[in-house]
Amino acid sequence: MTDDILISARNLSVRFPLSGGLLSEKTYVHAVEDVSIDIEKGKFFGLVGESGSGKTTLGRALLLANPITHGEVSYSDGDVDYDLRSLTRQQRRDYYSRAQLIFQDPYAALSPRMTVRDIIAEPLEVMKLTSSRRETDERVREIAAKCRLNLEHLRRFPHAFSGGQRQRISIARALVSRPRFVVADESVAALDVSIQADILNLLKSIQRDLGLTFLFISHDLSVVAHTCDHVALMYFGRLVETAPTRELFAAPKHPYTKALLSAIPSLDPDDRGQVQKLEGEIPSQTNPPPGCKFQTRCPFAIDVCRRDEPALEMVEDRHRVACHRWKELEGTVPSALEVRAES
Ligand code: ADP
Ligand code: MG
């Protein structure tokens, strides 16, 4: 593993057994299937896909909050090198302080009976990271200030706060253990549009300031465009395309990526007719068909797509795509940017 990679996953799969059915014919939801990604240190890495595509499951698997069915994951931050699938108890505890989750829903995540101070302090206490109440208080105040929380507010209860402020509390709680790796799962999706940019800017500035590595999960490609250095797109538990953000937006290769890009509302009303609608059904998650899982919605699917699952192929250095026909399709479907440039 090269020095600039924090987390590297190889052929990672997560399957959930479905209850019911006889033991002999146990069925599984293939939530994440054969995913390989490298997350670079100090970067904002976006993970995008429709609801149910496996983003949360993948994020939680990297935090060891979901069991991993198959594959390898390594973590290397300069201080420690971990093979996440064979940690001792102590290493596991240590990893939990280095890798944290910012919850999706700022309303559900915060206990209504605890003060903001206690909510933020809890991870320090659970993980025994401080040795005195004074030290805990200092750490809480320090991170609260970084998250632009008013120190007066630490004595209050979360119900007194707006959605944006609650999300700041969630962020402070996730960062108080001084993690190196943070998974932000739909961290702005539940917020008003006006507050979304505020929270995004906060996350970005904290990430830069502290040199953190973020896995930023979103169902919305347009949110990712302005925040992330690199983007990976998931479809049906698989990685379908991954590239530096600018390159992904300028030269998308996968028909799914192109369709998502074309659906981002343009400021130019003349473009609006160019949206590519995705039709067709998403296959069954317990009994998927052979071949490419996007075949049922792909206007370009041919025999090979129905027979063989496409592997991730290298387009350029850090740009990869899993489509049998990406080369042939170059230029046939205009990217969102090309459409805009033409009009
Ligand atoms: P996303 O975050 O992209 O919306 P998820 O990772 O939450 O997707 O879910 C991926 C798939 O895995 C979905 O079909 C979901 O129903 C299934 N799934 C997620 N968690 C569980 C679980 N604990 N048990 C069974 N199925 C699950
Ligand atoms: Mg999710």
Side-chain angles (χ1 to χ4, degrees):
M1 192 150 82
T2 57
D3 280 352
D4 53 355
I5 305 296
L6 184 77
I7 292 216
S8 179
R10 288 292 168 270
N11 311 106
L12 190 75
S13 297
V14 178
R15 295 178 185 162
F16 295 109
L18 282 182
S19 48
L22 297 169
L23 217 55
S24 57
E25 50 181 70
K26 209 162 195 165
T27 48
Y28 292 87
V29 176
H30 296 217
V32 170
E33 195 66 21
D34 205 27
V35 166
S36 298
I37 49 169
D38 288 328
I39 301 177
E40 252 186 278
K41 274 182 198 149
K43 293 287 163 73
F44 223 81
F45 190 105
L47 185 62
V48 178
E50 291 167 301
S51 171
S53 57
K55 308 179 296 297
T56 295
T57 305
L58 176 58
R60 290 176 56 91
L62 299 179
L63 296 175
L64 301 181
N66 265 346
I68 294 170
T69 313
H70 179 83
E72 308 302 323
V73 193
S74 53
Y75 170 89
S76 173
D77 65 11
D79 288 339
V80 295
D81 285 306
Y82 287 151
D83 167 355
L84 295 188
R85 296 214 59 198
S86 58
L87 294 179
T88 64
R89 268 176 83 146
Q90 196 175 355
Q91 287 174 331
R92 182 176 269 263
R93 210 175 304 143
D94 177 58
Y95 182 65
Y96 287 151
S97 71
R98 290 171 193 268
Q100 283 283 327
L101 175 70
I102 299 173
F103 284 100
Q104 174 163 0
D105 182 352
Y107 290 89
L110 306 178
S111 165
R113 282 186 195 78
M114 289 165 76
T115 62
V116 171
R117 183 261 173 214
D118 289 348
I119 288 171
I120 299 175
E122 194 176 39
L124 294 177
E125 279 153 8
V126 171
M127 294 190 266
K128 300 191 176 66
L129 296 175
T130 47
S131 48
S132 65
R133 187 171 168 101
R134 218 179 107 201
E135 192 187 352
T136 306
D137 279 333
E138 268 167 30
R139 290 275 289 264
V140 169
R141 277 200 298 271
E142 180 194 4
I143 199 66
K146 276 221 154 50
C147 294
R148 297 184 210 134
L149 283 164
N150 190 329
L151 297 188
E152 296 269 291
H153 292 168
L154 293 175
R155 275 180 279 127
R156 299 201 195 155
F157 292 88
H159 62 79
F161 298 98
S162 68
Q165 283 169 317
R166 285 185 202 214
Q167 194 53 296
R168 286 174 204 278
I169 299 168
S170 284
I171 295 168
R173 178 184 160 92
L175 299 183
V176 75
S177 68
R178 298 183 178 150
R180 317 290 172 86
F181 177 53
V182 177
V183 175
D185 191 353
E186 302 278 10
S187 296
V188 299
L191 301 172
D192 286 350
V193 175
S194 58
I195 301 162
Q196 281 188 8
D198 224 36
I199 295 292
L200 275 176
N201 289 336
L202 177 69
L203 288 176
K204 245 339 237 202
S205 79
I206 291 176
Q207 179 250 342
R208 279 205 209 103
D209 199 20
L210 303 179
L212 304 180
T213 305
F214 263 73
L215 179 68
F216 183 81
I217 298 178
S218 176
H219 64 280
D220 186 346
L221 200 51
S222 59
V223 170
V224 163
H226 304 289
T227 3
C228 294
D229 302 298
H230 194 98
V231 181
L233 267 108
M234 281 185 87
Y235 186 82
F236 201 75
R238 276 82 173 162
L239 217 62
V240 295
E241 185 159 9
T242 169
T245 310
R246 202 172 297 172
E247 189 170 326
L248 187 92
F249 277 74
K253 305 295 179 209
H254 201 285
Y256 179 61
T257 314
K258 293 178 186 179
L260 288 186
L261 283 173
S262 81
I264 295 178
S266 164
L267 293 175
D268 181 348
D270 292 342
D271 287 1
R272 301 247 163 102
Q274 302 279 355
V275 173
Q276 262 182 272
K277 272 233 172 78
L278 282 175
E279 280 159 7
E281 301 268 310
I282 301 176
S284 143
Q285 207 124 24
T286 48
N287 189 19
C292 176
K293 304 305 175 256
F294 188 57
Q295 63 176 281
T296 51
R297 295 166 87 191
C298 182
F300 309 103
I302 54 174
D303 284 351
V304 64
C305 310
R306 294 182 196 100
R307 194 179 60 227
D308 301 330
E309 178 122 31
L312 268 189
E313 277 179 42
M314 184 140 106
V315 176
E316 254 174 61
D317 190 22
R318 292 186 304 138
H319 188 172
R320 271 146 227 264
V321 64
C323 171
H324 290 298
R325 304 192 69 198
W326 72 268
K327 267 188 203 147
E328 284 172 72
L329 296 174
E330 289 264 67
T332 55
V333 188
S335 76
L337 294 184
E338 280 162 354
V339 170
R340 269 163 226 178
E342 277 162 19
S343 54

